[in-house]
Amino acid sequence: MKTETGEILIKGGRIVNAGGSFKGDVLIRNGKIVQVGTGITSKTAARTIDASGLLVLPGAIDAHTHLEMPMGKTVSADGYESGTRAAACGGTTTVFDYTLQEHGKPMLKEIEDRIALAENAACVDYAFHGGISEVNKDRLNEISEMVKQGFTSIKAYMTYAFGLDDKALFELLQASRDARSLITVHAESHGIVEAKREEFKKEGLGDVWYHYLSRPEIAEEEADVRAVTLARAAGAPIYIVHLGNAEGVRFIARVKAEGWPVFAETCPHYLAFTNEVFKREDGIRFICSPPMKGKESQIALWEGISRGVIDTIATDHCPAQSFEKDWGKKDFTLAPCGVMGIENMYPYMLNAANKGMITFEKAVALCSKKPADIFGCNTKGAIEPGRDADIVLYDTAKEFTISSGNMHSNVDYTIYEGMKLKGYPVLTMSRGSVVYEDGVYKGEAGYGRLIRRKVSCAFN
């Protein structure tokens, strides 16, 4: 499937951007938006789509996924084809994947290896964050070249065996400041988590509830504060991934109010669920890190969205099959860590808008415009001339119940099983080509293109 070379005209829908909405038309030519307004006509359009009664939205950007990622004894269940297929069917038209850096291996080589996996498989456009597990002269010297090649962000972990200590993270932030590369951080206290896990293992406490107890609110809160403090000391912007705790929201709100460039992302599973899921019979299916927190944190996250403290929504999509999760039934440390969401993010947030919890403009900002700006995707994130024709038509009246049977992922269950949504995407267009329509996937593996990105708005 190639980018549409003719014209497509979308007529009469309500066009929603982060900055406002109006009823109008969109003219697309050769995969690009060429005109947005009212009363647009075309005698040469290969297809005219009647969008009356529908919302016309920019495609979502999922800036946090782990596709085909090694996870102990297994690999995350979705590869680049099935993961991006599911994304397309949920209205996500750009997917960012995180690379992991093997010790001694250049970050750019890790990205090149991932491109080789994705280029003939991805169904929508894709980008990569670098990954780093060691900070030394060779790695720090790579950063400027990565930026030149369009890989303008790097992820660092503060926990796991490949996590960075404070000195390494501080040095990375200094180098990234000079190279104009945005550092994204998985913030959890390695000391607290490891001490708790060892304690529970010695006491034979392997039930899934102890997964949450080993990674409580304070383990994330402490690391949020430390990561942002290190960034301020280094004079660098920072992006906190999958924020899930109340005190972290409050701290980041204070730092933002002081004018510091700190960005925060949260995920649909933290908004939809609390730690109560770990008491369920199927609680093992919900294991992810950081885990879902208490009700106070869930409320704080929604308040953080409303107040602009949280900038983006992403999924941290990293699912395992149910039988693999079951490895941890008696010992939670044996369960692969991660949940799904790549197909659910946009519908879930648009459902929140449809129910009046947020505005549709806010949903577009969180899921499309802000990720585009923060991560330098200047052809994505809005319906306006010159941008890629990544467009979603959304029916606010359509009722949809999420089930593993109507998802398009390669996973045999979903944590969102039975969730009822008000409104659902009915068409997804990627660079002018329809990849999903009326419940049917219409894309093609290999259609997606690699995005080489500009420097983040954090450096403006």
Side-chain angles (χ1 to χ4, degrees):
M1 181 175 68
K2 297 180 179 179
T3 301
E4 199 66 57
T5 55
E7 286 186 350
I8 297 175
L9 180 60
I10 299 174
K11 291 284 293 181
R14 177 156 292 278
I15 299 164
V16 182
N17 281 312
S21 65
F22 68 97
K23 187 174 180 180
D25 314 318
V26 182
L27 183 63
I28 298 159
R29 185 180 302 126
N30 299 333
K32 292 282 188 180
I33 298 168
V34 295
Q35 191 176 355
V36 179
T38 56
I40 299 173
T41 60
S42 172
K43 295 181 179 179
T44 57
R47 180 179 179 185
T48 298
I49 299 172
D50 182 5
S52 300
L54 303 177
L55 301 185
V56 183
L57 312 167
I61 298 171
D62 189 345
H64 188 159
T65 72
H66 299 279
L67 301 175
E68 213 163 316
M69 188 187 86
M71 298 192 297
K73 295 190 299 180
T74 188
V75 176
S76 57
D78 274 319
Y80 287 98
E81 181 176 355
S82 65
T84 57
R85 177 183 66 220
C89 296
T92 290
T93 51
T94 303
V95 170
F96 278 65
D97 202 38
Y98 277 107
T99 60
L100 295 176
Q101 185 245 329
E102 180 183 334
H103 271 236
K105 186 174 179 180
M107 290 183 282
L108 274 169
K109 183 63 172 71
E110 295 283 10
I111 292 173
E112 289 169 7
D113 290 349
R114 286 277 141 178
I115 292 171
L117 291 174
E119 60 187 353
N120 294 317
C123 307
V124 296
D125 291 352
Y126 58 96
F128 290 100
H129 303 285
I132 191 165
S133 62
E134 58 187 353
V135 172
N136 54 39
K137 184 178 179 182
D138 289 340
R139 296 293 79 77
L140 297 181
N141 285 343
E142 273 192 86
I143 299 175
S144 293
E145 182 59 29
M146 292 172 70
V147 171
K148 288 178 184 176
Q149 293 194 29
F151 306 109
T152 56
S153 52
I154 297 171
K155 185 176 185 181
Y157 292 80
M158 297 175 74
T159 188
Y160 303 123
F162 45 83
L164 303 184
D165 62 23
D166 287 0
K167 178 176 179 289
L169 181 54
F170 178 69
E171 291 174 348
L172 175 64
L173 286 160
Q174 286 183 309
S176 71
R177 173 202 64 204
D178 297 338
R180 292 162 64 83
S181 175
L182 180 62
I183 301 302
T184 80
V185 176
H186 175 130
E188 284 186 293
S189 171
H190 186 68
I192 294 174
V193 169
E194 288 304 302
K196 286 288 187 183
R197 283 163 66 93
E198 288 175 13
E199 173 190 335
F200 295 148
K201 194 169 187 68
K202 285 178 183 177
E203 295 178 5
L205 301 173
D207 185 83
V208 65
W209 176 245
Y210 291 93
H211 171 67
Y212 161 70
L213 292 182
S214 71
R215 310 180 99 96
E217 274 82 347
I218 198 166
E220 191 182 335
E221 171 196 335
E222 183 276 334
D224 289 333
V225 173
R226 185 156 42 97
V228 174
T229 301
L230 289 169
R232 297 178 79 180
I238 191 169
Y239 180 100
I240 301 296
V241 302
H242 50 47
L243 180 67
N245 71 100
E247 285 303 321
V249 174
R250 293 170 189 140
F251 174 74
I252 290 172
R254 292 196 297 271
V255 175
K256 278 177 173 280
E258 295 169 7
W260 198 262
V262 54
F263 302 97
E265 159 199 296
T266 196
C267 306
H269 49 275
Y270 301 126
L271 300 172
F273 305 105
T274 70
N275 56 7
E276 290 295 314
V277 296
F278 300 117
K279 297 178 180 178
R280 287 170 39 166
E281 186 176 346
D282 63 347
I284 198 75
R285 306 283 192 270
F286 291 83
I287 279 192
C288 59
S289 296
M292 297 75 162
K293 304 297 198 301
K295 188 66 177 179
E296 180 188 357
S297 288
Q298 185 187 52
I299 292 169
L301 291 171
W302 279 109
E303 290 176 347
I305 286 171
S306 297
R307 293 165 51 205
V309 178
I310 291 173
D311 299 278
T312 66
I313 306 294
T315 65
D316 195 9
H317 181 84
C318 190
Q321 303 294 4
S322 60
F323 78 90
E324 295 169 328
K325 287 287 193 180
D326 287 346
W327 295 338
K329 275 193 170 181
K330 294 183 179 179
D331 179 355
F332 68 86
T333 66
L334 300 179
C337 231
V339 295
M340 64 289 296
I342 204 166
E343 190 168 352
N344 312 114
M345 177 182 74
Y346 216 16
Y348 179 80
M349 296 308 297
L350 292 170
N351 168 75
N354 210 8
K355 291 183 174 180
M357 298 169 68
I358 57 174
T359 66
F360 283 107
E361 288 83 358
K362 172 68 84 170
V364 167
L366 291 162
C367 298
S368 189
K369 186 60 165 64
K370 283 288 195 73
D373 291 345
I374 292 169
F375 291 112
C377 299
N378 62 351
T379 65
K380 309 291 186 182
I383 296 178
E384 58 187 35
R387 303 261 181 171
D388 290 342
D390 293 353
I391 293 174
V392 172
L393 301 188
Y394 179 80
D395 184 350
T396 58
K398 184 177 178 65
E399 295 183 353
F400 189 88
T401 301
I402 300 173
S403 175
S404 60
N406 58 27
M407 295 290 96
H408 297 80
S409 178
N410 189 40
V411 192
D412 63 352
Y413 76 100
T414 173
I415 61 171
Y416 298 98
E417 185 71 39
M419 181 178 286
K420 298 182 185 300
L421 303 179
K422 181 183 178 184
Y424 208 76
V426 293
L427 183 146
T428 304
M429 187 179 289
S430 172
R431 283 184 286 106
S433 290
V434 174
V435 292
Y436 168 83
E437 188 171 14
D438 294 331
V440 179
Y441 168 68
K442 295 188 173 182
E444 182 178 302
Y447 172 75
R449 290 179 182 171
L450 171 67
I451 303 170
R452 295 182 186 268
R453 297 172 286 118
K454 304 296 183 183
V455 169
S456 170
C457 67
F459 292 94
N460 291 345

